[in-house]
């Protein structure tokens, strides 16, 4: 027999089935005569001497059913004949003489006609194909036999005998490649193991005998398949064998689950052992899965034989840890075992294997046992199994004798213990037992593989009685050498410690101490996580607290091991440093401080700073050092400052060497070293003047160090730029640098980032690629350096230029980190002052040193982050002149540097990657220069002239700075008027050249409006220069008219662009929330320009000398006219009232007139008559007796009162007296009527020359309607009146009620009021008090007011109004005035920024904030140094900042859009001018919905026009027409009148423009020479 043929005699365990000498041939007669079915143990006899095949066929019983049944007699003969033919045909096809193909056809034929065969007939078929069931038959022939068997199994009438015969035919041995058919047939005949009759036992014996050989054949086939000579048949054979083995596994599993009782103990043991051997030997996952399915079935329905139990547990454990895919199946088998009667044995086997003394934890058996123990403890929901395990394992864990403990044993012990501790339920049971002394001792012994460690007390002096005060410190024990431990042991120890940490908080104090011994003993081998736990334990146990006896030893050990030793985990180092810092507060005695210093100072001195590269650690060390410095001795304090400076250098080096390593960190995480210095400064400011001065010097040094990274220098820079002092030179810090406007200019705000791509004008003279200039600027022609030079070194860090070309995020911006790491003290320091002559140097701050450093930064090229920060924040600091009161030379030098750099263009060019241009830098420098105007007294007259000239040059040199330069010139007009006067001609010329830049129109006109009220400045202007002013106004009028025309036509204008561009240049941007209001501002801004242009034109005309005014009338008149849509020349209302104003003032400068006194009784009867004369109302009131006449001429721009008296001569003696002569002596002469008003009117206004009808005077009827109309006209003021609130905000006041409740104010505020206007009495006032009571003093006795010839301002001053907190606690009466004022001047003495919404009102549009540069001295808890006497209301506050605060939807108005610095005498006049302009704009804005704002003059003009519309051409006349006279042409307002200007119903045929020029016929003024 070939070796690959597997016979039934090849079983490994001695089983030999009944041999088959040949395949039985069944005789029909014998089969038919068989009376009963033989059982499965009876062999079929050979039917020798059987009849021939034909005879047997004829004698076949075709009846269906059992062969013992009698053939039915009822079957139709015809059907029987058909079935017989089928059987005969099948038998014929299956004959051995037929070809294999025909025989296959016969087998298929039987299958397709299976219902035609009775069991006897099937038996005949089997006999016909008996050669297909023989062992030596070919594989193809055997396949034919299995095909017949499969077909026969489809028959429903098979009896037990037939099934037995089929079974025997199936189990005939076959070569390996056919095994799959054999197993498939067995599976089919048993219905997947469910039906074993009548061959049950034989099947079990067969299956148990086949399992080993089939697997062996599978292994051999797999080897051949892997060889290089594997061919097609080999692959087919291998696949068939693998299929057979899988089928065999499945069939055995099915039989076990369906008939567990059919398998006796011997066969079960055979199957289990063979299966376990397969699991041990095979490497095929498929075979393992099949074998495991058998084991799982055994454990589910039966039990593992005792002799196989140990091997089964080992194998399953190895699989559970070795093959993840089969882990669940293996654990399922073990789960079944633990739920069986063998549970106790299983647990014993697992623990015995886990604690093997010969195999280590790396062996699969041990590893598997440990894994299974842990698994079942973990899934044990009710805790029952865990309790059993704990009970069973505890003694094994902790009561081991020396003889039974080997190295392998202890390694296994640690491994299992570490695994079990990871299970929460096991930890809970261990926690309940609370035997931590034993646990710690056994664990330490296991670490050393030394039983003596367990039985004795050699390593740690562990006492069984816990006494924390006498408990020996673990760090005093000898440090064990654990360097030779295996990595697995180290890992297990760390896992034990990590697991025990989970129950640490719930342990008793004693247990925690016990466990800590284990932690500390194992410190050399602990993982990072375990080391963290160790240090956490030390901290939690209070071992670093000075209350612990050995705290300094513990601290020293930790410092030595974790900080000064080999580099430890950063979290551990940070935890130690944090704990050290926290212990500072507990150093309550000198002894504690000395012991603390003995550890800390060596720690800081012995740090290898050059090796440190972790920013977090360095920053935390710095924070600790700064905290410790507060309590350290002065010598140590200085030493710590040096160390902090050294740390700054280290941190800076980390940034330079690894620029991208920490770029993901925010700024707060990168600059803690310098932040520590800043925090130290803030804390020393209220505790020690000497220490504050030392920290100040250190901060200066940090800023000065070019080699330091910007992130290190910026925190120091933030503090230094926020230094301020009060009027007594006490130092304080402002939390708000107020530099958002300038930050936007250098793209350091969110909104300004958008500006970069929108507002950079291509026409700018600079480009992104301009060369940088690193040279120090030279001196100008007139400004001297005063012998001072900057203190900075001229060197700069290597590679800075390359760094600046890389795109990097900015290191400071708005919004960003707070300017200071903590809130500064609310009050000025009581200990630290600005250095003044005679003050101790070591207790004051020399601000000149800081200012010298700033000058150096501006002179020497520095890092852009530093340079830009100084540019943005220096103006804010310069607004506190007291801070630099002793640094006059440095202020002088600073002005020198700024002027020189702007004059020569030698200032710093920003890096390309920032997107900032040179114009933006110039913008910042000009803001600094404008702020320096507040120090004008520090500069000579020539230097002041240079300042004005450089500001003037900036208007055209840099597009971005034109606005700030114009505003700066407005400030110059107040502070250095003589210098402005010298350059006023070029200034006006420059402004006339830039009037096409619409975004500057508001600034130019506001400048001219303010200049017109400063006669000392413009006194020397020539006629041509004055005409330039008028030309600028006319140009803006034309622009406004064009804008309104386009707006009406729906044509887009450039106003929106101009408005936004204006905002962008100044650095201001409209917030997204304000976007909806932007269009309204853009639409109304030209209306403001329109009103302001007329205002400027008017005030400048009145500012001209009287003798020069007529010279300008003709030019102005010609340019006031505009053209309508039909091309006609027209005069708009504002032009008409302007012309009216010139008409009244061109030859008169006497000022306003007042009504005449009444007539006396001797004057005779008085007659009164009024006429409309042109666009005026003339009233003539005449005493008929003597002719004394009172004249009143009411015009749009004013009312003139005069007296006309005819100088009547006495009659000559020779005059013949008549009855009507005035000198007649007739009775009643005095009562006669000698003159009427008409005579006076005609004498003054008319001749006999023909008067065109449209220009004829109109006599008004003397009725009630006329009187009412004239009275209504008189109620319109002759000037534009405005109301402005002036509010005093006292110290610390922030709420509306407390501010309005002020009934007093400071001397400075009083001086401000006197500078704003004149104190006037309210009761009986004859001017418009703008709502203030002028009868009962309910709003106070006095107020302040200001007036010129065209405007009047009444100031609402709440502190001058009565205050009654009882009846009016919220000051509603005062709020009724302030809340309705469009503009308020806020004198902010609170020491805090004023918030716009402090006075909620829909009418408060603009606040003008005036703030003393040095706030009132703040009292601190009532403690005032005896050397300083501080008055809460000082009499002298010298300098002030002024800034406008507008409604969010408003544009920036006035020169104070950004804060400016002025003296009190200058700030008042500037504030008044700003208030006036702001009032004009507010009136325009307030009337935007109902139309344009109408001035008082225009209202008066409209009243006159109403009268003309009512009475013109009404036919009224003094007398009837002469007979035959031709009726005059009538003209009604609005009718066409060709070729003329139409104005109020008046018209002239020819020469209208020249006709309006009244100076032609009025003539020039007489010569004054």
């Amino acid at each position: 027999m070939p070796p690959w043929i597997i016979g039934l005699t090849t079983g490994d365990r001695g089983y030999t089935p009944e041999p088959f000498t040949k395949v039985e041939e069944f005789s029909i007669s014998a089969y038919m005569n068989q009376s009963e079915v033989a059982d499965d143990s009876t062999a079929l006899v050979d039917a020798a001497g059987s009849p021939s095949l034909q005879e047997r066929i004829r004698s076949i019983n075709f009846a269906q059913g059992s062969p013992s049944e009698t053939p039915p007699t009822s079957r139709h003969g015809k059907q029987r004949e058909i079935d017989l033919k089928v059987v005969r045909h099948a038998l014929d096809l299956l004959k051995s003489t037929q070809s294999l193909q025909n025989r296959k056809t016969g087998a298929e034929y039987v299958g397709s006609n299976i219902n035609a065969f009775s069991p006897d007939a099937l038996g005949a078929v089997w006999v016909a194909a008996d050669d297909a069931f023989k062992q030596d038959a070919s594989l193809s022939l055997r396949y034919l036999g299995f095909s017949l068997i499969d077909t026969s199994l489809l028959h429903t009438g098979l009896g037990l005998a037939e099934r037995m015969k089929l079974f025997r035919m199936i189990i005939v041995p076959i070569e390996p490649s056919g095994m799959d058919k054999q197993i498939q047939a067995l599976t089919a005949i048993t219905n997947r193991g469910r039906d074993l009759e009548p061959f049950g036992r034989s099947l079990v014996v067969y299956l148990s005998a086949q399992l080993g050989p089939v697997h062996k054949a599978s292994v051999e086939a797999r080897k051949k398949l892997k060889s290089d000579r594997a061919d097609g048949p080999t692959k087919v054979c291998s696949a068939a064998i693998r299929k057979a083995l899988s089928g065999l596994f499945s069939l055995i599993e099915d039989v076990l689950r369906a008939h567990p009782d059919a398998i006796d103990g011997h066969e079960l043991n055979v199957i289990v052992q063979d299966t376990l051997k397969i699991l041990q030997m095979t490497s095929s996952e498929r075979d393992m899965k099949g074998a495991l399915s058998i084991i799982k079935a055994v454990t589910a329905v039966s039990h593992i034989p005792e002799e196989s139990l140990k091997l089964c547990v080992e194998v399953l454990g190895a699989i559970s840890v070795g093959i993840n895919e089969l882990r669940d199946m293996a654990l399922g088998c073990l789960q079944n075992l633990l739920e069986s009667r063998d549970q106790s044995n299983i647990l014993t086997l697992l623990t015995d294997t886990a604690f093997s003394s010969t195999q280590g934890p790396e062996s699969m058996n041990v590893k598997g046992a440990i894994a299974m123990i842990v698994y079942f403890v973990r899934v044990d929901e009710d805790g029952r199994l865990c309790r059993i395990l704990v009970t069973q394992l505890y003694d094994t864990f902790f009561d081991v004798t020396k003889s039974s403990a080997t190295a392998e044993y202890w390694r296994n012990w640690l491994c299992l213990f570490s695994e079990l501790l990871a299970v929460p339920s096991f930890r809970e049971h261990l926690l309940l037992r609370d035997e931590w002394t034993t646990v710690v001792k056994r664990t330490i012994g296991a670490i050393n593989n030394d039983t003596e460690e367990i039985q004795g007390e050699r390593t740690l002096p562990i006492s069984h009685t816990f006494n924390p005060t006498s408990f020996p410190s673990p760090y005093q024990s000898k440090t064990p050498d654990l360097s030779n431990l295996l990595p697995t042991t180290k890992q297990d120890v760390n896992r034990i410690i990590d697991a025990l940490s989970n129950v640490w908080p719930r342990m008793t104090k004693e247990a925690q101490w016990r466990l800590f011994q284990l932690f500390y003993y194992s410190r050399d081998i602990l993982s990072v996580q375990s080391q963290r736990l160790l240090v956490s334990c030390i901290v939690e146990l209070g071992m670093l607290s000075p209350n612990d006896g050995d705290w300094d030893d513990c601290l020293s050990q930790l410092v030595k091991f974790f900080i000064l030793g080999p580099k430890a985990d950063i979290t551990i180092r940070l935890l130690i440093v944090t704990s050290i810092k926290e212990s500072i507060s507990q150093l309550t005695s000198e002894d504690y401080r000395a012991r603390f210093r003995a550890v800390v100072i060596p720690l800081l001195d012995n740090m290898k700073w050059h090796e440190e590269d972790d920013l977090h650690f360095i920053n935390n060390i710095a924070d600790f050092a700064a905290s410790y410095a507060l309590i350290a001795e002065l010598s140590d304090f200085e030493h710590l400052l040096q160390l902090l400076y050294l740390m700054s250098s280290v941190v800076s080096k980390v940034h330079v060497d690894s620029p991208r390593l920490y770029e993901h960190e925010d700024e707060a995480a990168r600059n803690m070293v310098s932040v520590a210095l800043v925090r130290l400064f803030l804390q020393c400011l209220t505790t020690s003047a000497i220490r504050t001065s030392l920290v100040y010097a250190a901060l200066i040094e940090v800023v000065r160090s070019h080699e330091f990274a910007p992130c290190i220098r910026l925190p120091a820079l933030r503090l230094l730029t926020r230094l301020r002092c009060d009027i007594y030179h006490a130092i304080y810090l402002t939390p708000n640098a107020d530099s958002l406007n300038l930050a936007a200019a250098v793209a350091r705000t969110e909104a300004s980032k958008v500006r970069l791509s929108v507002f950079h004008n291509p026409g700018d003279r600079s480009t992104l690629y301009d060369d940088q200039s690193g040279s120090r600027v030279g001196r100008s022609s007139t400004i001297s350096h005063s012998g001072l030079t900057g203190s900075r070194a001229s060197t700069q860090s290597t590679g800075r230029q390359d760094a600046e070309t890389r795109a990097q995020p900015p290191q400071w911006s708005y919004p960003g980190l707070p300017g200071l790491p903590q809130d500064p003290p609310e009050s000025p320091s009581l200990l630290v002052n600005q250095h003044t002559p005679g003050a101790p140097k070591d207790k004051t701050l020399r601000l000149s040193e800081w200012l010298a450093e700033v000058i150096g930064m501006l002179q020497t090229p520095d890092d852009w982050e530093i340079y830009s920060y100084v540019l943005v924040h220096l103006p804010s600091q310069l607004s506190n002149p007291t801070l630099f009161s002793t640094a006059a030379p440095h202020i002088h030098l600073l002005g020198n540097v700024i002027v020189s750099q702007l004059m020569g263009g030698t200032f710093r060019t920003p890096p390309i990657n920032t997107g900032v241009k040179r114009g933006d830098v110039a913008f910042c420098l000009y803001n600094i220069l404008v702020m320096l105007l507040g120090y004008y007294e520090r500069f000579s007259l020539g230097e002041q002239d240079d300042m004005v000239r450089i500001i003037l040059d900036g208007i055209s040199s840099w597009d971005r700075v034109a606005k700030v330069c114009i505003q700066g010139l407005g400030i110059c007009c107040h502070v250095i008027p003589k210098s402005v006067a010298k350059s006023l001609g070029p200034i006006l010329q420059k402004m006339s050249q830039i009037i096409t830049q619409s975004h500057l129109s508001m600034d130019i006109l506001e400048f001219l409006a303010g200049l017109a009220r400063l006669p000392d400045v413009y006194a020397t202007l020539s006629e041509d220069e004055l005409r330039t002013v008028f030309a600028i106004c006319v140009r803006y009028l034309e622009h406004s008219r064009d804008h309104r025309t386009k707006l009406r036509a729906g044509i887009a204008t450039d106003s929106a662009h101009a408005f936004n561009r204006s905002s962008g240049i100044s650095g201001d941007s409209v917030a997204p929330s304000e976007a909806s209001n932007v269009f309204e501002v853009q639409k109304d801004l030209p209306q403001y320009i329109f009103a302001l242009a007329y205002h400027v034109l008017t005030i400048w005309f009145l500012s001209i000398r009287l003798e020069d005014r007529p010279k300008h009338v003709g030019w102005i008149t010609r340019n006031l006219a505009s053209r309508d849509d039909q091309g006609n020349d027209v005069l708009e209302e504002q032009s008409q009232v302007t012309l009216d104003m010139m008409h009244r003032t061109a030859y008169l400068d006497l000022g306003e007139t007042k009504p005449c006194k009444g007539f006396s009784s001797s004057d005779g009867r008085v007659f009164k008559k009024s006429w409309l004369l042109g666009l005026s109302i003339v009233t003539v009131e005449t005493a008929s007796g003597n002719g004394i006449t009172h004249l009143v001429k009411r015009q749009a721009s004013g009312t003139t009162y005069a007296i006309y008296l005819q100088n009547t001569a006495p009659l000559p003696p020779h005059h013949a007296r008549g009855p009507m002569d005035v000198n007649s002596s007739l009775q009643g002469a005095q009562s006669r009527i000698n003159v009427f008003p008409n005579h006076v009117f005609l004498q003054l206004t008319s001749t006999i020359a023909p008067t065109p009808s449209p220009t004829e005077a109109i006599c008004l009827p003397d009725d009630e309607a006329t009187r009412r109309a004239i009275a209504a006209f008189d109620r319109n003021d002759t000037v534009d009146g405005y109301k402005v609130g002036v509010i005093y905000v006292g110290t610390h006041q922030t709420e509306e009620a407390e501010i309005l409740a002020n009934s007093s104010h400071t001397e400075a505020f009083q001086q401000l009021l006197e500078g704003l206007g004149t104190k006037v009495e309210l009761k009986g006032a004859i001017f418009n008090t703008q709502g203030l009571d002028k009868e009962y003093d309910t709003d106070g006795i006095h107020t302040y007011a200001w007036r010129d010839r065209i405007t009047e301002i009444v100031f609402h001053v709440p502190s001058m109004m009565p205050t009654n907190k009882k009846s009016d606690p919220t000051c509603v009466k005062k709020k009724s005035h302030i809340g309705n004022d469009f503009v308020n001047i806020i004198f902010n003495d609170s020491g805090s920024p004023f918030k716009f919404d402090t006075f909620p009102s829909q009418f408060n549009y603009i606040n003008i904030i005036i703030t003393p540069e040095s706030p009132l001295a703040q009292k601190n808890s009532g403690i005032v140094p005896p050397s300083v006497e501080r008055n809460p209301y000082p009499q002298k506050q010298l300098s002030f900042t002024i800034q406008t605060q507008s409604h969010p939807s408003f544009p920036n108005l006035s020169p104070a859009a950004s804060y400016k610095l002025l003296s009190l005498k200058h700030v008042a006049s500037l504030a008044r001018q700003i208030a006036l302009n702001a009032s004009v704009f507010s009136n325009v804005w307030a009337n935007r919905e109902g139309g344009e704002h109408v001035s008082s003059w225009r209202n008066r003009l409209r009243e006159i026009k109403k009268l003309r519309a009512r009475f013109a051409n009404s036919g009224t006349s003094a007398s009837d027409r002469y007979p035959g006279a031709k009726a005059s042409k009538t003209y009604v307002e609005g009718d066409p009148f060709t070729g003329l200007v139409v104005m109020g119903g008046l018209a002239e045929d020819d020469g209208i423009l020249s006709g309006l020029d009244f100076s032609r016929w009025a003539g020039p003024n007489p010569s004054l020479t």
Side-chain angles (χ1 to χ4, degrees), residues 119-182:
D120 292 338
L122 282 177
V125 170
W126 300 338
V127 171
D130 59 352
D131 57 335
F133 304 107
K134 294 180 179 180
Q135 180 176 339
D136 56 354
S138 66
L139 190 60
S140 299
L141 196 56
R142 290 299 301 271
Y143 283 173
L144 174 63
F146 285 118
S147 177
L148 276 174
I149 291 172
D150 293 340
T151 299
S152 300
L153 290 174
L154 298 176
H155 200 287
T156 59
L158 296 179
L160 297 178
E162 288 79 16
R163 285 174 54 79
M164 186 64 190
K165 291 182 178 66
L166 285 173
F167 172 72
R168 289 187 174 278
M169 288 188 290
I170 292 171
I171 64 175
V172 173
I174 190 173
E175 61 182 87
S177 59
M179 289 179 182
D180 59 324
K181 297 294 184 182
Q182 194 175 50

Side-chain angles (χ1 to χ4, degrees), residues 657-880:
D657 294 344
S658 305
R660 297 190 177 275
L661 185 60
Y662 295 99
E663 65 180 2
H664 65 283
E665 303 283 358
D666 59 16
E667 186 182 351
R670 292 182 288 158
N671 58 15
M672 285 293 292
V673 176
S674 50
V675 167
L677 279 172
V678 172
R679 187 177 287 111
L680 185 59
F681 181 92
L682 294 173
Q683 293 169 339
C684 290
L685 192 60
T686 57
T687 58
S688 172
I690 295 177
R691 298 187 184 220
T692 303
S693 63
L694 290 173
V695 181
Y696 172 74
L699 291 170
I700 293 287
E701 195 61 34
V702 169
V703 172
R704 179 182 294 125
S705 301
H706 283 263
E707 66 275 11
F708 284 4
C711 66
I712 304 300
R713 301 167 67 190
L714 277 173
L717 204 59
R718 285 190 173 99
L719 180 134
L720 292 172
T721 55
R722 284 167 170 76
L723 286 174
R724 304 289 189 273
C725 72
D726 66 9
I727 59 174
Y728 297 108
H729 305 283
I731 294 295
Y732 70 97
L733 287 106
T734 175
N736 180 18
D738 195 19
S739 301
L740 186 62
N741 181 41
L742 292 181
V746 292
R748 294 306 171 100
T749 63
E750 291 298 326
S752 62
K753 294 176 183 177
V754 180
R755 178 184 63 86
L756 288 176
S757 60
V758 178
F759 301 118
H760 273 166
N761 193 331
D764 188 6
R765 298 186 180 186
S766 64
T767 69
L768 285 175
Y769 303 97
D770 287 342
D771 294 333
Q772 298 187 26
S773 175
S775 60
R776 188 184 296 268
V777 299
R779 66 180 68 198
S780 65
S781 57
T782 59
I783 298 184
S784 170
H785 284 273
S786 302
L788 290 176
T789 59
S791 63
R792 295 172 58 87
S794 60
T795 59
Q796 57 183 356
S797 300
T798 305
R800 179 176 295 131
Q801 185 174 0
D802 294 337
E804 289 180 349
T805 60
R806 296 193 300 264
Q808 296 180 0
Q811 297 189 28
W812 69 271
S813 62
Y814 289 95
L817 291 177
L820 299 173
Q822 65 188 52
D823 292 335
E826 295 182 356
S827 304
S829 175
L830 298 176
L831 304 174
V832 185
N833 291 339
Q834 174 217 15
H835 179 73
T836 54
K841 295 182 180 179
D842 57 349
K843 295 184 179 181
T844 57
L845 305 186
R846 289 181 172 270
L847 272 300
S848 58
E849 296 179 0
W850 160 238
L851 195 55
E853 195 61 37
V854 169
I855 295 170
M857 293 178 191
L858 296 176
Q859 287 179 303
T860 305
D862 204 335
D863 186 277
W864 172 249
E865 296 293 326
I866 304 299
Y867 181 79
S868 60
Y869 195 89
V870 171
L871 286 180
V872 169
H873 294 85
L874 181 57
S876 175
Q877 193 170 36
L878 289 174
S879 66
N880 183 202

Side-chain angles (χ1 to χ4, degrees), residues 1059-1276:
F1059 176 77
N1060 282 331
R1061 184 175 59 177
S1062 168
S1063 298
I1065 290 173
S1066 66
D1068 301 323
S1069 300
V1070 178
S1073 61
E1074 305 157 10
S1076 61
N1077 297 324
V1078 169
F1079 176 75
E1080 292 298 327
V1081 178
Q1082 296 167 354
K1083 182 179 69 176
D1084 293 311
L1085 198 59
Q1087 295 185 27
Y1088 172 58
I1089 301 300
F1090 180 77
L1092 193 58
Y1094 274 114
H1095 177 81
V1096 172
L1097 190 149
T1098 301
I1099 195 171
W1100 269 97
F1101 183 82
L1102 295 175
S1103 301
I1104 304 173
R1105 290 174 301 180
L1106 183 63
E1107 59 269 25
D1108 293 330
R1109 290 177 190 172
K1111 302 176 184 178
H1112 300 279
V1113 170
W1115 188 92
I1116 294 174
T1117 301
R1118 289 192 299 273
N1119 287 278
L1120 285 178
S1122 61
R1123 296 203 176 255
D1124 60 14
D1125 296 339
Q1126 287 75 37
N1128 296 322
D1129 291 326
V1130 294
L1131 280 181
E1132 54 203 358
E1133 277 187 350
Q1134 191 64 44
S1135 296
Q1136 295 172 34
V1137 297
T1138 302
L1139 185 60
D1140 185 82
M1141 177 274 303
M1142 292 191 295
H1143 191 276
R1144 290 184 63 248
T1145 60
Y1147 300 97
L1148 173 69
D1149 213 6
L1150 290 177
E1152 297 185 16
T1153 59
K1154 62 180 180 179
C1156 303
K1157 293 182 179 180
F1159 294 94
S1160 64
S1161 57
S1162 61
D1163 295 334
R1165 187 177 178 183
V1166 178
F1167 292 93
K1168 187 176 183 180
K1169 198 73 173 177
S1170 296
W1171 288 266
L1172 284 174
L1173 180 62
L1175 291 179
S1176 67
I1177 304 173
V1178 177
T1179 299
V1180 181
E1181 190 174 11
T1182 303
S1184 60
N1186 54 21
I1188 297 176
T1189 301
H1190 292 175
L1191 298 174
V1192 182
K1193 187 177 184 183
R1194 296 175 173 89
Q1195 296 175 244
S1197 60
T1199 300
T1200 302
Y1201 298 91
I1203 296 178
Y1204 174 83
L1205 176 61
Q1206 178 175 312
N1207 191 11
T1208 304
L1211 295 177
H1214 59 279
H1215 183 82
R1217 300 186 178 185
M1220 301 306 296
D1221 291 334
V1222 69
N1223 293 332
S1224 175
S1225 60
L1226 296 177
Q1227 185 179 5
Q1230 293 296 329
S1231 62
R1232 288 199 305 268
I1233 299 175
N1234 298 318
V1235 61
F1236 284 106
N1238 310 60
H1239 168 77
V1240 178
F1241 179 76
L1242 288 174
Q1243 290 296 312
L1244 296 177
T1245 63
S1246 179
T1247 68
I1248 63 171
T1251 302
S1253 179
T1255 60
E1256 290 177 352
I1258 300 174
C1259 183
L1260 299 177
D1262 187 15
D1263 55 17
E1264 186 62 27
T1266 302
R1267 288 191 288 273
R1268 285 198 304 269
I1270 294 177
F1273 178 90
D1274 288 338
R1275 284 194 292 271
N1276 287 284

Side-chain angles (χ1 to χ4, degrees), residues 542-691:
M543 299 177 68
L544 297 182
S545 171
N547 297 323
D548 185 274
D550 298 316
W551 65 275
D552 52 337
D553 292 335
C554 180
L555 178 59
S556 179
Q557 290 288 333
L558 290 178
V559 168
K560 179 180 178 181
F561 186 80
F562 289 108
I563 297 182
L564 298 180
K567 195 168 183 180
D569 173 66
I570 181 60
T571 303
I572 299 174
R573 305 178 88 200
L574 292 177
L575 180 58
I576 294 174
V577 172
T578 302
S579 301
I580 297 175
K581 178 184 175 184
E582 292 174 352
S583 65
I584 293 176
S585 61
Q586 303 177 34
L587 303 177
T588 57
S589 68
E590 292 298 328
D591 176 62
Y592 287 168
R593 292 193 184 97
R595 293 165 66 182
F596 188 79
R597 182 189 182 283
V599 176
V600 170
I601 296 299
L603 159 66
L604 297 174
D605 288 342
N606 295 328
M607 286 289 297
K608 298 178 181 178
W609 294 110
H610 62 283
E611 297 179 1
E612 290 293 341
D613 59 359
D614 192 289
L615 289 180
H616 296 286
F617 176 71
I618 301 173
N619 290 334
N620 277 267
I621 281 283
D623 188 50
F624 154 69
S627 299
Y628 176 56
L630 292 173
I631 66 169
E633 298 295 333
L634 187 59
S635 58
D636 288 338
F637 183 87
E638 296 183 68
H639 182 57
L640 290 170
L641 286 181
Q642 295 174 359
L643 288 174
L644 286 171
Y645 183 83
L646 176 60
M647 293 180 210
S648 299
S649 177
V650 173
V651 173
S652 183
K653 183 177 182 298
V654 172
H655 283 286
V656 173
D657 294 344
S658 305
R660 297 190 177 275
L661 185 60
Y662 295 99
E663 65 180 2
H664 65 283
E665 303 283 358
D666 59 16
E667 186 182 351
R670 292 182 288 158
N671 58 15
M672 285 293 292
V673 176
S674 50
V675 167
L677 279 172
V678 172
R679 187 177 287 111
L680 185 59
F681 181 92
L682 294 173
Q683 293 169 339
C684 290
L685 192 60
T686 57
T687 58
S688 172
I690 295 177
R691 298 187 184 220

